[in-house]
Amino acid sequence: MEESEGDHPPEMQQVSLDHNDDLFQSALQEEAPLDNNSDIFAEESVTSDPTGQAPIQQSGVPTSLPSSRMHRVTTAELQQHGANGDDQYVRVSITEPQKMGEGMGAYMAYRVSTQTNMQFYKKSNFSVYRRFSDFLGLHDKLTEKYLRSGRIIPPAPEKSMIGSTKIKMSNQSDQGASADFIERRRAALERFINRTANHPILRVDPDFRDFLESELELPKATNTSALSGAGVIRLFNKVGETVNKITYKMDESDSWFEEKVQQVENLDAQLKNMLTRVEALVYQRRELSQCTASFGKSVAMLSNCDEHNSLSRALSQLAEVEERVEHVYAEQCNADFGILCELLKDYVALVGAIKDVFHERVKVYQNWQHAQVVLNKKREAKAKFEIMGRTDKINQANDEVVEWESKVERGQEEFENISRMIKKELERFELVRIQEFKVTLINYIESLMQNQQQLIQIWESFLPEAKAIA
Amino acid sequence: MLQDDSPDASEQSSINKKSNKSETVDLTDNSLVVDISDALSEKDKVKFTVHTRTTLPEFAKTDFLVVRQHEEFVWLHDRFEENEEYAGYIIPPVPPRPDFDASREKLHKLGEGEGTMTKEEFAKMKQELEAEYLATFKKTVAMHEVFLIRLANHPIFRNDHFFRVFLEYDQDLCVRSKNKKELFEGLVKSFSKTSDELLLSATQKDNDDFFEKEKDFLLEYHSHLRDATAKADKMTSRHQDVADSYIKISTGLNQLATSDHPELEKFFTKVSDTFEKARKLEGRVASDEDLKLSDTLRYYMRDSFAAKQLLYRRLRCLADYEQANKNLDKARTKNKDIHAAQEVIDAELAQQQACDKFEQISIKAKEELVEFKKRRVVAFRKNLVEVAELEIKHSKAQVQLLKNCLESLKEEME
């Protein structure tokens, strides 16, 4: 059934949304088997193609498995809430950064305003206030819930000791020092939330919904604080992970993954390379802007001491021209940074998230292999007992074998699931990325063009002044 | 100033340019036409081919060439500076020494970094640097040419004996550049001259209002010009840096194009292409600003310095005149009882000469300064108009380029 492109959401299935039991249903998403030629998008209508060319099909509703504790979104729910087609949206804007509190306890709060037409949310227009650690907490929760199944979780902006200190230190009157930083952070938070809101599964996650709509203050995410006990533990775990990443060599049988891992590495390198170049451009342009201002001032001095009337006037106009040109350069610099740099930085971080999910898969594989190893041992033990005729031990050994057999089975299933999921996520990621890169590049070229047009205006207004020199 | 037409990328840095006269050329008088028809850049020096066409009888031929180096231009300038007869004139400022150090250093750095960039990138940056080098070269030729043209068009200077030697004598002028001792002496001399200057300006009361005002004006004007020139240079150099960084963006995008998702390939390639074209335009803006703005400021900085020198010479004259007056008084007092004392007659003569010299120099200087001011107004007007027109032209070209890019990118989106 194709998605209609009307302005009303597609027909809902009969299951009511507010029943808590729905939310506790199965953890696993892809029970329905993918046949070879089924549309990759069949289960989730992942396409973000603006022209809506990719047909959006809905596969049969899978049955749910026995409940798990996690409230993760099921495919069933997804279909209830409508597929990720063109007419379902959750748009978030982050505004009004305000400093709350004083001294070391001070922090920035942001207004998070959402517009949505999804039934999953209570209203269609609403806003709440959140602090930076809330965003990090959200990211952590989503990672906890979905990373293991192979989802790419959009990364949150980094914590910055310098930045947060700036905020704590600045008083009411002196906003300048932190203003830039705050604006950049606000923009970054906005991109983070919207990327998450664009993800078909994550956006109908209850924790995500709570973040957006719950009027209550969210429980302080102390775990996210860099200096907390949890933070230290996280650090240790990270180190362990890193060692694991280096030392464990997975036996890759899937050529798709072999290729993709390489591609991702490559993309990572390219993006970082590009980022360096763009940062160099930003630097040069900023320098140019400053030099232009400086030059303008010296021209003004020249104009002041020149006794020839029309020349003096023209020079003072030139000084003004240079000042206006400097503003244009500064604007361009902001565009260089805000549009290109930030895009590249976001994607370097996203590639990091992809690598994380690749690594998750390796861990799942490790798990499975480990279970296999233990199973073999148990089988050996059982066989030994059988040979030795130790009937007292045989039953227990048998139980253990059965236990580990099912663990191996689950391990394999988990591995297959995560592999499948990653494939899907990556396909979606590529589509989104391609779109975003195109749109961003167009925006950037437009900014270049607008600024050049401004330059034309500025010099055209000067020309008659120059000609008027008698 | 020389128009910046696109250079052909040839290995040897010599140019055969079509002459482009400066604003001081008197188009109706072809009796002495000087230009630099060729120039060759060798390792450490530049050889200028000075070409003269003349109808004046004082010259042996009517059309001839000599080869001169920068030091010989300096020699010529010094001959004018030290000539007492020209004390009342603004001596055209000597052109600056050809300076390729910056370009050479950039080329050197590029060579060092060759391993870190792709062949394509290296070739592009090298090309850009070579263009810069060529532009610097053209500029120095233009500046040397303007100096000669100004001399050739000056009713008095053109008849100078040393000028003729410079133009005609087909051997080296055997001008060795100053050795260390002479350089030091020159430095000391210029120090004492400046302190002299200050001294004079303080103690010499100038009863001529015009010159008082001129002195104040020139001191301030020269200082601001110097500042503006330095800032303009910095600005144009930064602008060139921005243009250069476009190269890296363009090549980076190319790399992405070939290795990334095929659907992005066309996009990246188009944007890369646009950046490549845009950087050429940005480079032109930088060099045009340099030629029209920076060089004008630089030239008038030098010229106003020459004007200051003129004022100084006049004040020296005034000092000498007043001294001669004092001597005369002394002589008269000493010899008041002697009729037609020799001392008095000598002193009277000396005083008369000093007076004449001072009055002549004052008349001449006034003319020169008025001329100077007119000249600068004309030059500024011309160059400000030209720079504005060029900025508009280049920005329009860039807008067109970016429009085209946007159109084709938006097509890709559909």
Side-chain angles (χ1 to χ4, degrees):
Chain A
M1 184 173 98
E2 287 233 298
E3 284 288 35
S4 59
E5 284 193 328
D7 42 15
H8 55 273
E11 229 156 308
M12 295 301 183
Q13 311 231 332
Q14 294 301 17
V15 185
S16 127
L17 296 174
D18 288 325
H19 286 182
N20 285 337
D21 21 341
D22 281 350
L23 299 177
F24 283 92
Q25 270 168 7
S26 147
L28 298 177
Q29 276 94 327
E30 271 62 52
E31 294 82 6
L34 278 180
D35 23 287
N36 287 342
N37 51 6
S38 73
D39 196 328
I40 265 290
F41 309 122
E43 308 232 8
E44 278 154 58
S45 321
V46 191
T47 180
S48 55
D49 189 331
T51 66
Q53 280 169 359
I56 297 159
Q57 301 164 1
Q58 304 209 5
S59 63
V61 181
T63 54
S64 15
L65 289 180
S67 66
S68 94
R69 283 148 313 212
M70 308 263 267
H71 350 172
R72 277 189 298 175
V73 178
T74 66
T75 318
E77 272 186 302
L78 180 65
Q79 271 136 21
Q80 291 155 20
H81 310 315
N84 187 12
D86 303 31
D87 49 354
Q88 293 283 303
Y89 62 84
V90 179
R91 291 187 206 122
V92 187
S93 63
I94 309 236
T95 52
E96 294 177 26
Q98 313 169 10
K99 181 177 171 189
M100 314 283 270
E102 282 303 324
M104 282 312 288
Y107 61 90
M108 290 304 295
Y110 303 86
R111 182 164 179 197
V112 180
S113 310
T114 313
Q115 281 183 314
T116 177
N117 64 356
M118 295 190 75
Q119 300 277 350
F120 181 64
Y121 292 88
K122 282 199 212 109
K123 297 187 254 180
S124 57
N125 239 311
F126 48 91
S127 50
V128 294
Y129 286 88
R130 296 283 177 245
R131 52 186 292 183
F132 182 68
S133 53
D134 292 336
F135 290 81
L136 296 185
L138 171 68
H139 174 261
D140 281 355
K141 278 214 197 86
L142 293 177
T143 307
E144 220 178 286
K145 293 203 278 190
Y146 295 99
L147 181 63
R148 192 71 176 189
S149 51
R151 300 282 180 194
I152 302 172
I153 320 287
E158 300 236 315
K159 250 194 157 346
S160 155
M161 286 306 289
I162 302 171
S164 47
T165 315
K166 269 194 199 159
I167 292 170
K168 293 186 208 282
M169 294 314 189
S170 75
N171 48 35
Q172 291 293 30
S173 48
D174 162 38
Q175 293 299 312
S178 44
D180 263 351
F181 170 74
I182 291 172
E183 171 51 31
R184 263 187 273 144
R185 176 163 275 191
R186 182 209 65 79
L189 288 173
E190 201 172 75
R191 290 193 305 271
F192 159 58
I193 289 294
N194 278 303
R195 286 217 173 85
T196 314
N198 200 32
H199 192 290
I201 298 293
L202 297 179
R203 72 179 175 179
V204 293
D205 174 273
D207 280 313
F208 185 62
R209 178 179 53 191
D210 280 350
F211 178 87
L212 290 180
E213 71 177 17
S214 161
E215 309 257 313
L216 306 167
E217 224 179 86
L218 295 180
K220 191 151 186 293
T222 47
N223 291 352
T224 62
S225 157
L227 300 173
S228 71
V232 174
I233 292 175
R234 244 202 342 268
L235 206 63
F236 272 124
N237 285 342
K238 251 198 162 162
V239 172
E241 289 260 332
T242 321
V243 173
N244 191 347
K245 275 181 191 165
I246 301 170
T247 53
Y248 188 79
K249 264 285 164 238
M250 174 171 149
D251 196 7
E252 187 61 76
S253 54
D254 191 338
S255 65
W256 187 95
F257 274 94
E258 236 181 283
E259 205 183 298
K260 266 304 175 224
V261 167
Q262 192 52 51
Q263 274 181 16
V264 167
E265 280 297 325
N266 194 21
L267 182 64
D268 192 30
Q270 296 281 14
L271 289 175
K272 285 181 175 148
N273 187 314
M274 235 10 246
L275 182 59
T276 316
R277 291 163 192 237
V278 175
E279 282 176 338
L281 172 64
V282 170
Y283 171 75
Q284 299 291 9
R285 231 198 270 277
R286 190 161 288 141
E287 292 274 301
L288 171 61
S289 172
Q290 285 167 353
C291 286
T292 306
S294 184
F295 174 62
K297 291 202 181 88
S298 73
V299 171
M301 298 287 285
L302 202 56
S303 150
N304 277 341
C305 80
D306 201 325
E307 357 148 286
H308 190 274
N309 274 338
S310 55
L311 178 56
S312 166
R313 194 172 52 240
L315 284 175
S316 111
Q317 293 292 344
L318 180 65
E320 237 185 77
V321 160
E322 295 296 342
E323 204 189 325
R324 290 168 69 191
V325 166
E326 180 235 333
H327 282 142
V328 172
Y329 287 157
E331 279 290 307
Q332 188 57 62
C333 201
N334 286 338
D336 291 340
F337 182 80
I339 301 179
L340 279 189
C341 256
E342 297 285 73
L343 171 77
L344 289 168
K345 277 200 223 157
D346 281 356
Y347 272 88
V348 167
L350 273 164
V351 165
I354 296 178
K355 288 201 208 172
D356 283 346
V357 99
F358 277 155
H359 182 66
E360 254 338 273
R361 176 175 170 267
V362 170
K363 287 202 292 194
V364 167
Y365 181 81
Q366 266 179 290
N367 224 19
W368 171 27
Q369 296 305 310
H370 168 75
Q372 186 70 55
V373 165
V374 172
L375 173 63
N376 290 342
K377 283 214 187 98
K378 298 295 180 191
R379 280 183 176 152
E380 274 172 29
K382 175 179 157 192
K384 252 198 233 151
F385 290 141
E386 281 174 345
I387 292 173
M388 296 194 299
R390 296 285 308 270
T391 44
D392 55 325
K393 297 274 192 183
I394 284 178
N395 270 339
Q396 189 194 0
N398 206 30
D399 285 343
E400 285 181 358
V401 167
V402 168
E403 182 196 340
W404 280 94
E405 269 176 352
S406 86
K407 278 196 181 157
V408 166
E409 210 178 293
R410 277 210 300 283
Q412 181 174 10
E413 219 178 318
E414 213 187 338
F415 180 72
E416 282 169 2
N417 286 337
I418 196 179
S419 300
R420 210 173 20 233
M421 179 66 78
I422 291 179
K423 285 186 181 169
K424 214 172 276 181
E425 286 281 305
L426 268 181
E427 303 270 353
R428 181 184 167 271
F429 171 80
E430 279 293 88
L431 279 176
V432 171
R433 177 171 82 90
I434 288 169
Q435 190 64 14
E436 205 175 335
F437 268 65
K438 285 184 176 175
V439 167
T440 305
L441 283 174
I442 287 182
N443 279 345
Y444 181 70
I445 302 279
E446 273 178 351
S447 86
L448 281 178
M449 188 177 81
Q450 277 160 12
N451 283 321
Q452 285 295 322
Q453 279 167 334
Q454 284 215 350
L455 288 179
I456 293 177
Q457 273 180 4
I458 294 173
W459 286 103
E460 275 183 340
S461 75
F462 174 72
L463 190 55
E465 292 290 340
K467 288 190 168 156
I469 301 174
Chain B
M1 290 292 180
L2 196 63
Q3 292 296 328
D4 186 28
D5 31 82
S6 1
D8 26 7
S10 54
E11 270 314 326
Q12 59 168 129
S13 328
S14 95
I15 51 159
N16 248 319
K17 58 153 199 55
K18 301 168 184 49
S19 69
N20 196 350
K21 308 278 190 268
S22 77
E23 64 270 19
T24 58
V25 163
D26 178 14
L27 292 169
T28 59
D29 176 9
N30 287 328
S31 55
L32 181 62
V33 176
V34 181
D35 69 287
I36 298 185
S37 59
D38 199 1
L40 195 60
S41 165
E42 285 178 5
K43 225 158 158 233
D44 249 354
K45 45 199 176 196
V46 180
K47 293 200 166 133
F48 303 95
T49 303
V50 179
H51 170 234
T52 313
R53 263 186 302 125
T54 179
T55 57
L56 295 176
E58 292 83 3
F59 291 94
K61 297 184 258 184
T62 54
D63 200 321
F64 48 91
L65 303 167
V66 292
V67 177
R68 293 284 174 240
Q69 290 182 40
H70 174 72
E71 287 75 20
E72 291 165 298
F73 284 77
V74 176
W75 171 88
L76 180 61
H77 173 262
D78 290 347
R79 302 286 78 72
F80 276 94
E81 271 249 315
E82 64 191 20
N83 191 332
E84 292 252 340
E85 279 183 32
Y86 303 143
Y89 293 92
I90 294 180
I91 312 294
V94 69
R97 194 180 63 85
D99 182 10
F100 297 101
D101 287 345
S103 277
R104 244 183 244 129
E105 200 188 310
K106 267 180 158 180
L107 261 169
H108 182 69
K109 261 199 199 141
L110 179 67
E112 281 185 345
E114 186 175 357
T116 64
M117 50 184 96
T118 65
K119 259 172 89 168
E120 179 202 0
E121 206 169 278
F122 180 74
K124 278 203 189 132
M125 299 210 74
K126 186 151 171 271
Q127 190 190 62
E128 184 61 34
L129 281 180
E130 282 174 352
E132 259 180 69
Y133 187 92
L134 193 59
T136 312
F137 184 71
K138 277 174 148 181
K139 259 211 308 186
T140 191
V141 167
M143 293 200 258
H144 284 75
E145 190 180 68
V146 161
F147 172 67
L148 292 179
I149 289 176
R150 212 168 138 184
L151 291 174
N153 290 326
H154 197 282
I156 306 297
F157 293 156
R158 72 197 333 221
N159 298 319
D160 181 88
H161 163 71
F162 289 113
F163 187 46
R164 289 201 190 121
V165 167
F166 179 94
L167 291 176
E168 245 189 340
Y169 187 59
D170 58 3
Q171 305 285 322
D172 271 355
L173 291 171
C174 284
V175 174
R176 51 183 176 73
S177 42
K178 301 180 180 162
N179 63 22
K180 277 216 186 97
K181 180 154 168 274
E182 282 173 335
L183 274 172
F184 182 68
E185 279 175 6
L187 205 64
V188 171
K189 230 171 140 186
S190 66
F191 264 132
S192 54
K193 209 172 175 193
T194 345
S195 43
D196 236 358
E197 236 174 4
L198 291 170
L199 190 65
L200 277 178
S201 356
T203 60
Q204 221 64 33
K205 272 182 271 103
D206 201 336
N207 32 27
D208 192 333
D209 216 18
F210 172 81
F211 284 103
E212 259 312 295
K213 277 216 207 99
E214 278 311 298
K215 184 190 66 175
D216 290 336
F217 167 68
L218 278 173
L219 280 171
E220 208 189 341
Y221 198 57
H222 172 80
S223 146
H224 288 315
L225 278 173
R226 205 174 43 217
D227 187 45
T229 307
K231 302 247 162 79
D233 278 343
K234 227 176 154 197
M235 180 178 79
T236 55
S237 147
R238 284 282 173 251
H239 207 131
Q240 188 61 50
D241 288 341
V242 169
D244 287 343
S245 66
Y246 273 26
I247 298 180
K248 298 221 122 195
I249 304 238
S250 168
T251 49
L253 284 171
N254 263 339
Q255 283 174 4
L256 265 174
T258 52
S259 65
D260 201 351
H261 201 284
E263 253 220 61
L264 282 173
E265 187 185 335
K266 278 217 192 96
F267 238 77
F268 284 145
T269 311
K270 284 199 175 108
V271 177
S272 156
D273 202 42
T274 303
F275 261 97
E276 172 59 25
K277 296 200 173 93
R279 71 115 174 151
K280 290 215 170 95
L281 288 169
E282 290 287 341
R284 297 302 292 273
V285 172
S287 81
D288 284 340
E289 280 180 352
D290 183 43
L291 279 178
K292 305 292 169 192
L293 276 181
S294 305
D295 281 355
T296 306
L297 291 166
R298 199 187 330 271
Y299 191 78
Y300 281 92
M301 173 184 78
R302 294 221 169 82
D303 220 13
S304 61
F305 183 76
K308 277 205 304 179
Q309 296 296 88
L310 168 61
L311 284 181
Y312 167 71
R313 288 196 293 272
R314 178 180 165 278
L315 282 180
R316 271 239 75 98
C317 251
L318 181 59
D320 290 344
Y321 177 35
E322 305 215 330
Q323 189 61 43
N325 271 338
K326 287 207 188 101
N327 290 345
L328 178 58
D329 282 343
K330 261 207 266 174
R332 281 191 177 140
T333 327
K334 244 173 85 180
N335 296 292
K336 65 179 176 225
D337 299 323
I338 308 170
H339 171 65
Q342 190 56 39
E343 221 184 341
V344 176
I345 294 172
D346 286 342
E348 275 176 352
L349 191 58
Q351 193 254 27
Q352 191 56 47
Q353 280 177 345
C355 176
D356 286 341
K357 198 167 166 212
F358 176 67
E359 276 172 6
Q360 271 175 28
I361 204 179
S362 293
I363 294 170
K364 207 67 220 126
K366 203 167 195 166
E367 275 174 32
E368 287 282 289
L369 289 168
V370 168
E371 227 0 83
F372 162 74
K373 292 211 253 186
K374 268 200 233 148
R375 217 173 34 232
R376 78 153 164 56
V377 172
V378 170
F380 269 82
R381 183 188 191 282
K382 174 174 183 279
N383 284 292
L384 286 176
V385 167
E386 283 178 1
V387 80
E389 285 174 343
L390 285 167
E391 294 267 1
I392 293 169
K393 175 176 161 213
H394 294 318
S395 285
K396 280 192 172 157
Q398 231 191 93
V399 167
Q400 192 55 50
L401 169 70
L402 294 167
K403 263 204 186 120
N404 290 344
C405 178
L406 277 172
E407 263 170 36
S408 87
L409 286 182
K410 283 180 176 158
E411 261 175 38
E412 277 290 311
M413 295 281 281
E414 282 149 27

